[in-house]
Each structure stands twice: as structure tokens, then as C-alpha cells.
mmCIF file of all heavy atoms in Angstrom:
data_model
loop_
_atom_site.group_PDB
_atom_site.id
_atom_site.type_symbol
_atom_site.label_atom_id
_atom_site.label_comp_id
_atom_site.label_asym_id
_atom_site.label_seq_id
_atom_site.Cartn_x
_atom_site.Cartn_y
_atom_site.Cartn_z
ATOM 1 N N TRP T 1165 111.682 92.216 109.052
ATOM 2 C CA TRP T 1165 112.837 91.591 109.653
ATOM 3 C C TRP T 1165 114.037 91.471 108.716
ATOM 4 O O TRP T 1165 115.108 91.019 109.109
ATOM 5 C CB TRP T 1165 112.489 90.193 110.187
ATOM 6 C CG TRP T 1165 111.739 89.330 109.232
ATOM 7 C CD1 TRP T 1165 110.398 89.158 109.183
ATOM 8 C CD2 TRP T 1165 112.278 88.535 108.200
ATOM 9 N NE1 TRP T 1165 110.025 88.298 108.168
ATOM 10 C CE2 TRP T 1165 111.160 87.889 107.558
ATOM 11 C CE3 TRP T 1165 113.551 88.255 107.761
ATOM 12 C CZ2 TRP T 1165 111.322 87.032 106.467
ATOM 13 C CZ3 TRP T 1165 113.715 87.396 106.673
ATOM 14 C CH2 TRP T 1165 112.599 86.813 106.045
ATOM 15 N N ILE T 1166 113.874 91.910 107.456
ATOM 16 C CA ILE T 1166 115.028 91.932 106.568
ATOM 17 C C ILE T 1166 115.851 93.197 106.896
ATOM 18 O O ILE T 1166 115.348 94.311 106.742
ATOM 19 C CB ILE T 1166 114.584 91.948 105.092
ATOM 20 C CG1 ILE T 1166 113.909 90.619 104.735
ATOM 21 C CG2 ILE T 1166 115.801 92.188 104.188
ATOM 22 C CD1 ILE T 1166 113.443 90.528 103.307
ATOM 23 N N ARG T 1167 117.092 93.007 107.288
ATOM 24 C CA ARG T 1167 117.923 94.115 107.687
ATOM 25 C C ARG T 1167 119.002 94.344 106.682
ATOM 26 O O ARG T 1167 119.671 93.409 106.232
ATOM 27 C CB ARG T 1167 118.564 93.811 109.066
ATOM 28 C CG ARG T 1167 117.560 93.353 110.120
ATOM 29 C CD ARG T 1167 116.574 94.395 110.532
ATOM 30 N NE ARG T 1167 115.584 93.943 111.468
ATOM 31 C CZ ARG T 1167 115.776 93.812 112.770
ATOM 32 N NH1 ARG T 1167 116.912 94.124 113.312
ATOM 33 N NH2 ARG T 1167 114.796 93.344 113.546
ATOM 34 N N PRO T 1168 119.232 95.618 106.280
ATOM 35 C CA PRO T 1168 120.289 95.874 105.277
ATOM 36 C C PRO T 1168 121.692 95.600 105.815
ATOM 37 O O PRO T 1168 121.974 95.726 106.997
ATOM 38 C CB PRO T 1168 120.072 97.376 104.951
ATOM 39 C CG PRO T 1168 119.437 97.906 106.193
ATOM 40 C CD PRO T 1168 118.538 96.819 106.726
ATOM 41 N N ALA T 1169 122.583 95.230 104.908
ATOM 42 C CA ALA T 1169 123.965 94.966 105.240
ATOM 43 C C ALA T 1169 124.824 95.638 104.206
ATOM 44 O O ALA T 1169 124.319 96.069 103.147
ATOM 45 C CB ALA T 1169 124.241 93.464 105.296
ATOM 46 N N PRO T 1170 126.119 95.730 104.419
ATOM 47 C CA PRO T 1170 126.978 96.375 103.442
ATOM 48 C C PRO T 1170 126.935 95.598 102.132
ATOM 49 O O PRO T 1170 126.775 94.338 102.121
ATOM 50 C CB PRO T 1170 128.358 96.256 104.083
ATOM 51 C CG PRO T 1170 128.114 96.145 105.528
ATOM 52 C CD PRO T 1170 126.841 95.394 105.669
ATOM 53 N N PRO T 1171 127.079 96.256 100.977
ATOM 54 C CA PRO T 1171 127.106 95.565 99.695
ATOM 55 C C PRO T 1171 128.285 94.640 99.595
ATOM 56 O O PRO T 1171 129.304 94.811 100.283
ATOM 57 C CB PRO T 1171 127.151 96.718 98.694
ATOM 58 C CG PRO T 1171 127.702 97.884 99.443
ATOM 59 C CD PRO T 1171 127.218 97.712 100.851
ATOM 60 N N GLN T 1172 128.205 93.683 98.715
ATOM 61 C CA GLN T 1172 129.281 92.734 98.498
ATOM 62 C C GLN T 1172 129.694 92.681 97.040
ATOM 63 O O GLN T 1172 128.809 92.622 96.149
ATOM 64 C CB GLN T 1172 128.831 91.321 98.911
ATOM 65 C CG GLN T 1172 129.787 90.203 98.570
ATOM 66 C CD GLN T 1172 131.124 90.338 99.272
ATOM 67 O OE1 GLN T 1172 131.182 90.789 100.393
ATOM 68 N NE2 GLN T 1172 132.169 89.909 98.616
ATOM 69 N N THR T 1173 130.945 92.764 96.780
ATOM 70 C CA THR T 1173 131.488 92.705 95.428
ATOM 71 C C THR T 1173 132.030 91.298 95.169
ATOM 72 O O THR T 1173 132.846 90.807 95.930
ATOM 73 C CB THR T 1173 132.590 93.768 95.208
ATOM 74 O OG1 THR T 1173 132.017 95.064 95.387
ATOM 75 C CG2 THR T 1173 133.147 93.690 93.804
ATOM 76 N N TYR T 1174 131.608 90.726 94.064
ATOM 77 C CA TYR T 1174 132.055 89.433 93.635
ATOM 78 C C TYR T 1174 132.785 89.540 92.287
ATOM 79 O O TYR T 1174 132.500 90.443 91.521
ATOM 80 C CB TYR T 1174 130.893 88.440 93.472
ATOM 81 C CG TYR T 1174 130.110 88.158 94.728
ATOM 82 C CD1 TYR T 1174 128.968 88.857 95.041
ATOM 83 C CD2 TYR T 1174 130.487 87.116 95.587
ATOM 84 C CE1 TYR T 1174 128.235 88.576 96.177
ATOM 85 C CE2 TYR T 1174 129.799 86.823 96.710
ATOM 86 C CZ TYR T 1174 128.680 87.552 97.029
ATOM 87 O OH TYR T 1174 127.947 87.267 98.157
ATOM 88 N N LEU T 1175 133.625 88.570 92.024
ATOM 89 C CA LEU T 1175 134.213 88.431 90.703
ATOM 90 C C LEU T 1175 133.382 87.371 89.969
ATOM 91 O O LEU T 1175 133.500 86.163 90.280
ATOM 92 C CB LEU T 1175 135.661 87.997 90.815
ATOM 93 C CG LEU T 1175 136.477 88.080 89.485
ATOM 94 C CD1 LEU T 1175 136.596 89.521 89.045
ATOM 95 C CD2 LEU T 1175 137.869 87.465 89.685
ATOM 96 N N VAL T 1176 132.518 87.796 89.079
ATOM 97 C CA VAL T 1176 131.598 86.926 88.390
ATOM 98 C C VAL T 1176 132.001 86.775 86.944
ATOM 99 O O VAL T 1176 131.954 87.749 86.186
ATOM 100 C CB VAL T 1176 130.122 87.470 88.505
ATOM 101 C CG1 VAL T 1176 129.151 86.533 87.832
ATOM 102 C CG2 VAL T 1176 129.764 87.686 89.937
ATOM 103 N N GLU T 1177 132.407 85.560 86.579
ATOM 104 C CA GLU T 1177 132.911 85.299 85.235
ATOM 105 C C GLU T 1177 133.989 86.280 84.835
ATOM 106 O O GLU T 1177 134.042 86.790 83.697
ATOM 107 C CB GLU T 1177 131.753 85.405 84.215
ATOM 108 C CG GLU T 1177 130.591 84.462 84.494
ATOM 109 C CD GLU T 1177 130.815 83.016 84.051
ATOM 110 O OE1 GLU T 1177 131.467 82.293 84.814
ATOM 111 O OE2 GLU T 1177 130.351 82.646 82.963
ATOM 112 N N GLY T 1178 134.883 86.605 85.789
ATOM 113 C CA GLY T 1178 136.009 87.452 85.518
ATOM 114 C C GLY T 1178 135.719 88.946 85.599
ATOM 115 O O GLY T 1178 136.644 89.740 85.406
ATOM 116 N N GLN T 1179 134.486 89.364 85.903
ATOM 117 C CA GLN T 1179 134.140 90.771 86.019
ATOM 118 C C GLN T 1179 133.616 91.113 87.403
ATOM 119 O O GLN T 1179 132.832 90.309 87.991
ATOM 120 C CB GLN T 1179 133.089 91.126 84.971
ATOM 121 C CG GLN T 1179 133.552 90.991 83.546
ATOM 122 C CD GLN T 1179 132.590 91.531 82.536
ATOM 123 O OE1 GLN T 1179 131.490 91.947 82.875
ATOM 124 N NE2 GLN T 1179 132.950 91.492 81.271
ATOM 125 N N GLU T 1180 134.034 92.202 87.955
ATOM 126 C CA GLU T 1180 133.549 92.599 89.259
ATOM 127 C C GLU T 1180 132.104 93.053 89.163
ATOM 128 O O GLU T 1180 131.703 93.799 88.302
ATOM 129 C CB GLU T 1180 134.416 93.768 89.828
ATOM 130 C CG GLU T 1180 135.724 93.288 90.348
ATOM 131 C CD GLU T 1180 136.451 94.363 91.152
ATOM 132 O OE1 GLU T 1180 135.898 95.516 91.257
ATOM 133 O OE2 GLU T 1180 137.511 94.077 91.740
ATOM 134 N N ARG T 1181 131.301 92.602 90.144
ATOM 135 C CA ARG T 1181 129.916 93.021 90.216
ATOM 136 C C ARG T 1181 129.549 93.146 91.698
ATOM 137 O O ARG T 1181 129.846 92.266 92.482
ATOM 138 C CB ARG T 1181 128.983 92.041 89.515
ATOM 139 C CG ARG T 1181 127.513 92.447 89.656
ATOM 140 C CD ARG T 1181 126.612 91.854 88.692
ATOM 141 N NE ARG T 1181 125.256 92.319 88.961
ATOM 142 C CZ ARG T 1181 124.178 91.835 88.342
ATOM 143 N NH1 ARG T 1181 124.310 90.898 87.445
ATOM 144 N NH2 ARG T 1181 122.963 92.295 88.634
ATOM 145 N N THR T 1182 128.877 94.268 92.019
ATOM 146 C CA THR T 1182 128.478 94.498 93.404
ATOM 147 C C THR T 1182 126.982 94.305 93.586
ATOM 148 O O THR T 1182 126.144 94.752 92.792
ATOM 149 C CB THR T 1182 128.841 95.934 93.822
ATOM 150 O OG1 THR T 1182 130.239 96.134 93.657
ATOM 151 C CG2 THR T 1182 128.442 96.248 95.245
ATOM 152 N N TYR T 1183 126.657 93.498 94.616
ATOM 153 C CA TYR T 1183 125.282 93.195 94.966
ATOM 154 C C TYR T 1183 124.945 93.827 96.278
ATOM 155 O O TYR T 1183 125.800 93.875 97.214
ATOM 156 C CB TYR T 1183 125.081 91.692 95.069
ATOM 157 C CG TYR T 1183 125.210 90.938 93.770
ATOM 158 C CD1 TYR T 1183 126.467 90.619 93.225
ATOM 159 C CD2 TYR T 1183 124.067 90.568 93.047
ATOM 160 C CE1 TYR T 1183 126.585 89.978 92.020
ATOM 161 C CE2 TYR T 1183 124.186 89.909 91.849
ATOM 162 C CZ TYR T 1183 125.430 89.579 91.331
ATOM 163 O OH TYR T 1183 125.536 88.931 90.158
ATOM 164 N N PRO T 1184 123.694 94.319 96.482
ATOM 165 C CA PRO T 1184 123.325 94.831 97.791
ATOM 166 C C PRO T 1184 123.329 93.711 98.839
ATOM 167 O O PRO T 1184 123.001 92.578 98.558
ATOM 168 C CB PRO T 1184 121.886 95.352 97.541
ATOM 169 C CG PRO T 1184 121.378 94.580 96.356
ATOM 170 C CD PRO T 1184 122.558 94.326 95.528
ATOM 171 N N GLY T 1185 123.738 94.078 100.053
ATOM 172 C CA GLY T 1185 123.757 93.078 101.120
ATOM 173 C C GLY T 1185 122.451 92.965 101.839
ATOM 174 O O GLY T 1185 121.610 93.861 101.827
ATOM 175 N N SER T 1186 122.196 91.872 102.470
ATOM 176 C CA SER T 1186 121.013 91.659 103.349
ATOM 177 C C SER T 1186 121.404 90.631 104.378
ATOM 178 O O SER T 1186 121.181 89.433 104.219
ATOM 179 C CB SER T 1186 119.784 91.232 102.552
ATOM 180 O OG SER T 1186 120.127 90.171 101.679
ATOM 181 N N ASP T 1187 121.959 91.103 105.475
ATOM 182 C CA ASP T 1187 122.657 90.179 106.422
ATOM 183 C C ASP T 1187 121.705 89.193 107.100
ATOM 184 O O ASP T 1187 122.170 88.134 107.566
ATOM 185 C CB ASP T 1187 123.460 90.954 107.414
ATOM 186 C CG ASP T 1187 122.641 91.890 108.307
ATOM 187 O OD1 ASP T 1187 121.443 92.100 108.037
ATOM 188 O OD2 ASP T 1187 123.239 92.412 109.265
ATOM 189 N N GLU T 1188 120.460 89.491 107.182
ATOM 190 C CA GLU T 1188 119.531 88.573 107.852
ATOM 191 C C GLU T 1188 118.374 88.166 106.911
ATOM 192 O O GLU T 1188 117.368 87.659 107.358
ATOM 193 C CB GLU T 1188 119.026 89.152 109.167
ATOM 194 C CG GLU T 1188 120.201 89.244 110.152
ATOM 195 C CD GLU T 1188 119.772 89.811 111.499
ATOM 196 O OE1 GLU T 1188 119.149 90.855 111.515
ATOM 197 O OE2 GLU T 1188 120.099 89.163 112.526
ATOM 198 N N PHE T 1189 118.575 88.360 105.643
ATOM 199 C CA PHE T 1189 117.654 87.866 104.622
ATOM 200 C C PHE T 1189 117.742 86.322 104.657
ATOM 201 O O PHE T 1189 118.807 85.768 104.451
ATOM 202 C CB PHE T 1189 118.074 88.377 103.248
ATOM 203 C CG PHE T 1189 117.111 88.050 102.131
ATOM 204 C CD1 PHE T 1189 116.190 88.976 101.738
ATOM 205 C CD2 PHE T 1189 117.174 86.825 101.507
ATOM 206 C CE1 PHE T 1189 115.329 88.723 100.666
ATOM 207 C CE2 PHE T 1189 116.286 86.578 100.463
ATOM 208 C CZ PHE T 1189 115.401 87.492 100.041
#
């Protein structure tokens, strides 16, 4: 039931980092 979602990019401590998405995790 874990369905993939688009990745999300965050600004973490001033640096961009992309995490895989999981829209129904």
C-alpha cells in the first residue's frame, strides 16, 4: 500500500537536498 510520489527537494541547513516521495506512506 506504499505508493510512490514525486521526489521533494528541501533546503536543509542552507543546502538543497532531494528526498524520494511516498504520498501514502
Side-chain angles (χ1 to χ4, degrees):
W1165 48 264
I1166 295 180
R1167 311 293 176 83
Q1172 171 64 32
T1173 299
Y1174 297 94
L1175 191 65
V1176 181
E1177 304 280 82
Q1179 296 187 356
E1180 284 193 354
R1181 177 161 179 188
T1182 300
Y1183 292 81
S1186 48
D1187 59 351
E1188 292 180 308
F1189 187 98

